[in-house]
Amino acid sequence: MIRNAQYLRLGVNIDHVATVRNARGGDNPDPLRAAQLAIEAGADGITAHLREDRRHISDTDIERLIEQISLPLNLEMAATTEMQKIALRHKPHAVCLVPEKREERTTEGGLNVVSEEKRLAQFIAPLCTAGCRVSLFIAAQSDQIEAAKRVGAQVIELHSGAYCDAYAEGRHEDYDRELEAIQVMAKFAQELGLEVHAGHGLTYDTVMAIAEIPEVVELNIGHFLIGEAIFNGLKPAIAEMRRRMNAARP
């Protein structure tokens, strides 16, 4: 039973448009154009991850997005001095801190807030003062959520990757356990006063169960949508995701 009919926002991650561009070099396909199409298709925000190695999104991409898109930009980044300076210069609507390893293909897990509380509290404070909404990308674990609250984050984004992997691999017990963890921890985080988002690995098949969780107010989805766009176009791919989210939370 859905206990809350609050509108569920969709943030579209455009990183992998830049991945395709960078594979050959040059200017095409253009992440800014992808962002504009996403907005036309019903996205509520744009997400871009500026990695330390600049493997996809570039500094110029961030500058153009800040200057030219009409919706909030969610800047994903590692908690490094370089990235903090970039965020403080551009002052995006939101900053989402994620763990980052150079050799990983994609973000493999949540940020370990518990082990870095003091450093993260000091890192986050100037971002909040600058007016950025700070989010931490974490696993659905109570100790990480409590630590996120203590360090001053306003938002958490629950890592849905393990849930999506369990679904894709047909591991039904793991799927049920991971989904329940997200459900329980979303409620726990909201009770602590944190805004709750979710993301990573979501597809048409997995989005509705997460969209039904009333405490989750935003989903960030990227790789799957860019993949679907190859076959069906970006705007139809986003529109279908939006349709399924709406069906889950009428």
Side-chain angles (χ1 to χ4, degrees), residues 52-68:
E52 293 181 86
D53 61 9
R54 308 306 199 267
R55 72 177 65 168
H56 37 60
I57 293 294
S58 69
D59 297 72
T60 300
D61 292 329
I62 296 299
E63 291 171 5
R64 294 174 68 218
L65 289 166
I66 288 284
E67 292 172 357
Q68 298 185 48

Side-chain angles (χ1 to χ4, degrees), residues 98-111:
V98 301
E100 190 171 310
K101 292 184 286 188
R102 292 293 178 92
E103 67 275 14
E104 68 185 0
R105 291 186 178 182
T106 185
T107 305
E108 295 174 348
L111 196 66

Side-chain angles (χ1 to χ4, degrees), residues 195-212:
E195 183 173 307
V196 183
H197 302 176
H200 201 81
L202 293 169
T203 68
Y204 291 151
D205 292 331
T206 56
V207 73
M208 293 185 72
I210 301 298
E212 287 178 346

Side-chain angles (χ1 to χ4, degrees), residues 57-157:
I57 293 294
S58 69
D59 297 72
T60 300
D61 292 329
I62 296 299
E63 291 171 5
R64 294 174 68 218
L65 289 166
I66 288 284
E67 292 172 357
Q68 298 185 48
I69 66 171
S70 59
L71 290 182
L73 176 66
N74 176 34
L75 174 60
E76 290 186 342
M77 66 185 205
T80 66
T81 300
E82 179 199 21
M83 291 298 158
Q84 186 189 58
K85 289 179 179 177
I86 290 170
L88 290 173
R89 182 168 72 249
H90 291 299
K91 297 182 176 63
H93 170 75
V95 170
C96 182
L97 301 182
V98 301
E100 190 171 310
K101 292 184 286 188
R102 292 293 178 92
E103 67 275 14
E104 68 185 0
R105 291 186 178 182
T106 185
T107 305
E108 295 174 348
L111 196 66
N112 191 339
V113 189
V114 173
S115 67
E116 295 191 88
E117 269 197 54
K118 183 177 180 180
R119 186 180 78 86
L120 286 172
Q122 294 172 342
F123 187 92
I124 288 169
L127 296 170
C128 293
T129 299
C132 299
R133 184 188 67 179
V134 177
S135 172
L136 302 182
F137 185 65
I138 60 175
Q141 298 170 354
S142 60
D143 59 341
Q144 299 295 341
I145 293 169
E146 289 169 336
K149 177 68 174 179
R150 289 194 297 269
V151 300
Q154 299 114 314
V155 183
I156 60 164
E157 181 170 335

Side-chain angles (χ1 to χ4, degrees), residues 123-250:
F123 187 92
I124 288 169
L127 296 170
C128 293
T129 299
C132 299
R133 184 188 67 179
V134 177
S135 172
L136 302 182
F137 185 65
I138 60 175
Q141 298 170 354
S142 60
D143 59 341
Q144 299 295 341
I145 293 169
E146 289 169 336
K149 177 68 174 179
R150 289 194 297 269
V151 300
Q154 299 114 314
V155 183
I156 60 164
E157 181 170 335
L158 295 176
H159 190 319
S160 55
Y163 151 78
C164 292
D165 289 345
Y167 179 90
E169 295 165 11
R171 293 183 281 110
H172 302 296
E173 290 185 4
D174 291 341
Y175 167 86
D176 291 338
R177 183 177 63 252
E178 295 293 342
L179 178 59
E180 183 180 12
I182 295 172
Q183 292 167 335
V184 171
M185 289 300 105
K187 187 174 189 298
F188 176 66
Q190 187 190 65
E191 290 171 348
L192 289 181
L194 293 164
E195 183 173 307
V196 183
H197 302 176
H200 201 81
L202 293 169
T203 68
Y204 291 151
D205 292 331
T206 56
V207 73
M208 293 185 72
I210 301 298
E212 287 178 346
I213 301 171
E215 293 81 13
V216 174
V217 300
E218 181 173 306
L219 301 180
N220 284 294
I221 306 174
H223 183 266
F224 174 80
L225 291 173
I226 303 308
E228 284 296 297
I230 294 172
F231 304 104
N232 300 314
L234 185 57
K235 289 174 70 173
I238 293 170
E240 175 61 15
M241 187 65 76
R242 177 78 266 175
R243 185 191 71 77
R244 293 186 185 224
M245 289 167 59
N246 290 347
R249 187 179 299 186

Side-chain angles (χ1 to χ4, degrees), residues 1-12:
M1 176 69 68
I2 294 175
R3 301 186 297 277
N4 187 329
Q6 182 177 6
Y7 177 75
L8 179 61
R9 301 191 301 266
L10 171 61
V12 174

